[in-house]
Amino acid sequence: MKIGVIGSGIVGQTLAAGFLKYNHEVMVGTRNVAKLEEWQSQHENAHLGSFADASNFGELIVLAAKGSAAINALELAGENNLKEKTIMDATNPLADAAPENGVLKFFTNLDKSLMETLQEKFPQAHFVKAFSCIGAPFMVNPDFGAQKPAMFICGNNSEAKSEASKIIDKFGFSVEDMGNVEAARAIEPLCILWCIPGLTQNNWQHAFALLKK
């Protein structure tokens, strides 16, 4: 499959490398190609381009931009390039404000998630929340012993969720489907919870799991 990654920070780089690991064709969209010269030297099969190049290239899209820049990044990617495509949305609505006792601040509230806003802005795309509740070092085949970490997803399109789930499973997670787009109101704040031990104790070596009977 051809994968277009919108965003060239650590999350975009990590997920792009994960797709390359499994022999997908990958193009990373960036505002500054020069920023990725060193990364590309270590991932020679990767393509680089603009956001529009990456979204046009990809059969599946990964949105790995900063939350506050997500709408603009998708606008630059081009609405026509996103139509009917699965967009794995790894963004979180992090505010620029400093955390309070390790608790990050969001620019959204619990009545409306960032992904709901993105889905409204780009109604013909199929957003699936994914990779938003774990740090970049653990996004591809993390080793937590016998326990698979959970990846909480949601979205309105069942085919898109199925497509995303196959990737998430291959990347080493137990897929936990929380339902339609409104569930992102609960999934996005897991980023806050995940970061608290890191910000207060410098402990970033953890993931979520969902126990079932």
Side-chain angles (χ1 to χ4, degrees), residues 71-83:
I71 292 175
N72 180 246
L74 291 173
E75 289 172 342
L76 293 174
E79 189 170 0
N80 288 335
N81 291 332
L82 305 175
K83 285 182 179 178

Side-chain angles (χ1 to χ4, degrees), residues 5-8 29 31 51-52 55 61-79 82 87-94 96 107-108 113-122 125 127 129 188:
V5 178
I6 298 174
S8 56
R31 298 174 190 266
F51 292 157
S55 61
I61 308 298
V62 176
L63 178 60
K66 185 178 179 181
S68 58
I71 292 175
N72 180 246
L74 291 173
E75 289 172 342
L76 293 174
E79 189 170 0
L82 305 175
I87 301 180
M88 297 179 71
D89 171 25
T91 65
N92 281 303
L94 295 174
D96 290 331
F107 58 77
T108 55
S113 64
L114 174 57
M115 192 173 90
E116 287 175 274
T117 299
L118 299 179
Q119 186 64 80
E120 288 177 1
K121 293 276 188 182
F122 303 91
F127 286 87
K129 200 79 203 177
E188 289 177 357

Side-chain angles (χ1 to χ4, degrees), residues 131-186:
F131 296 107
S132 66
C133 58
I134 195 164
F138 300 104
M139 286 182 173
V140 182
N141 301 114
D143 182 4
F144 287 98
Q147 177 72 57
K148 268 190 175 184
M151 182 58 65
F152 297 99
I153 72 168
C154 67
N156 290 342
N157 186 279
S158 59
E159 290 183 9
K161 287 195 287 186
S162 177
E163 187 174 35
S165 293
K166 291 175 184 176
I167 292 165
I168 294 166
D169 177 72
K170 187 166 284 189
F171 279 23
F173 292 86
S174 171
V175 178
E176 304 295 346
D177 187 351
M178 296 291 108
N180 289 347
V181 65
E182 292 81 9
R185 300 174 194 175

Side-chain angles (χ1 to χ4, degrees), residues 8-43:
S8 56
I10 186 61
V11 171
Q13 292 176 32
T14 298
L15 292 174
F19 284 107
L20 290 169
K21 174 183 175 180
Y22 288 105
N23 298 315
H24 294 287
E25 293 184 64
V26 177
M27 177 176 285
V28 179
T30 179
R31 298 174 190 266
N32 180 10
V33 172
K35 170 184 174 182
L36 291 177
E37 286 180 357
E38 182 178 349
W39 180 85
Q40 191 181 36
S41 70
Q42 300 169 4
H43 302 87

